[in-house]
Every structure is written in structure tokens, then in C-alpha cells.
Amino acid sequence: MFPYGKTSQARLDTCHVDIQTIFDEVKKFINASIFCGHRGKEDQNKAFADGLSQLKWPHSKHNKIPSLAVDAGPYFVELSNTDWKDELAFAVFAGHVMCIARQLYKEGKITHLLRWGGDWDMDGRSRDERFRDLPHFELYKP
């Protein structure tokens, strides 16, 4: 098990219970960081201005209370951080997260599934996306 640090846990605590359930399961298998849960007006508009989001306040799922989105990724002990340039590591991480979410949904432990920001149209491909937000996961109802 890989417990979250205080900052990651505080961010996760701002998220919908289904996201919390998924990422509580993720930490049993993968060392991860939670970068963002709920995002207020100032932070959302900064993310938009910096090109990290395509949506202004209050249109992002990060802006809901509780947050319907989370930004998360793999944590590498040897770096004491995430390797932001390692797109493959984010894709592998997302695959694990998505499988865990699907299993929890199948077991009736959550009521939503996840959509990953690397595959918005959920066709299994990421290179066909105009905007790739590799740490982003958001809830949707199937």
C-alpha cells in the first residue's frame, strides 16, 4: 500500500465519494499523487489562461462541490515527484485507474465510471485528441 501524503489526501477529500473510493483502491497498488480536486474560480481561470484547461469558471467538473474531477498521476520515489514529460507513464497509470474504476462499478461499489483526459472520446486512442489532459479523470454516468 502507498498512502497519500497530507496534501494529496486533502485534495482527494474535496472530491465526490466515487472518486475517493476509486483512488483509495488505486493507492493499494500504485504510488500516486493527487494534484487537484476542487478548483475555485481563481485557480480555474488561471488553469484556463495557462492552457491547462479548456474551460473557464464555473464550467469545469473541478468547480463542483464535491469535485466531479480529479487530476492525479504516478509518483516516483527516486524523483520525489512525478515525471511530467513521461506520457507513457501517465497512460499506464490511467489504464490501471480505469480498470480499477470499472471493477468497482461492476461490484456496485461506485455509481459512476471515469473518463480520462487522454482519451476524451473513449475510443481507446489518445493521439486523436486535440487536447490531452493526461492527469485528468472525471466522473460520468454510463
Side-chain angles (χ1 to χ4, degrees):
M1 176 159 314
F2 303 95
Y4 294 121
K6 289 179 184 179
T7 302
S8 285
Q9 187 61 57
R11 292 170 178 158
L12 184 59
D13 289 345
T14 69
C15 295
H16 186 280
V17 67
D18 282 357
I19 292 174
Q20 292 183 37
T21 300
I22 293 163
F23 281 88
D24 282 346
E25 191 70 15
V26 166
K27 74 180 180 184
K28 293 179 183 177
F29 304 100
I30 305 165
N31 203 348
S33 290
I34 307 297
F35 310 125
C36 182
H38 174 74
R39 194 181 288 147
K41 183 176 182 177
E42 183 178 321
D43 289 336
Q44 181 62 40
N45 289 335
K46 181 175 179 355
F48 178 80
D50 292 346
L52 301 175
S53 176
Q54 291 193 314
L55 302 171
K56 290 183 178 178
W57 170 271
H59 304 291
S60 170
K61 290 191 176 191
H62 283 286
N63 305 148
K64 309 302 180 210
I65 297 176
S67 180
L68 302 179
V70 65
D71 291 349
Y75 178 85
F76 300 106
V77 174
E78 66 275 10
L79 300 176
S80 297
N81 205 339
T82 296
D83 184 348
W84 290 97
K85 294 181 181 180
D86 193 340
E87 291 185 2
L88 184 56
F90 274 95
V92 169
F93 177 77
H96 288 295
V97 171
M98 300 298 281
C99 284
I100 288 169
R102 194 159 287 282
Q103 184 64 36
L104 291 170
Y105 181 80
K106 182 180 171 186
E107 293 170 358
K109 295 180 180 175
I110 59 174
T111 59
H112 297 81
L113 286 173
L114 288 179
R115 180 165 64 163
W116 174 47
D119 184 20
W120 295 105
D121 58 7
M122 299 186 297
D123 67 354
R125 300 182 65 235
S126 61
R127 293 191 177 175
D128 64 340
E129 302 297 336
R130 289 183 307 121
F131 178 72
R132 291 193 299 165
D133 188 355
L134 302 183
H136 182 85
F137 298 88
E138 64 182 39
L139 295 178
Y140 79 94
K141 283 276 194 181

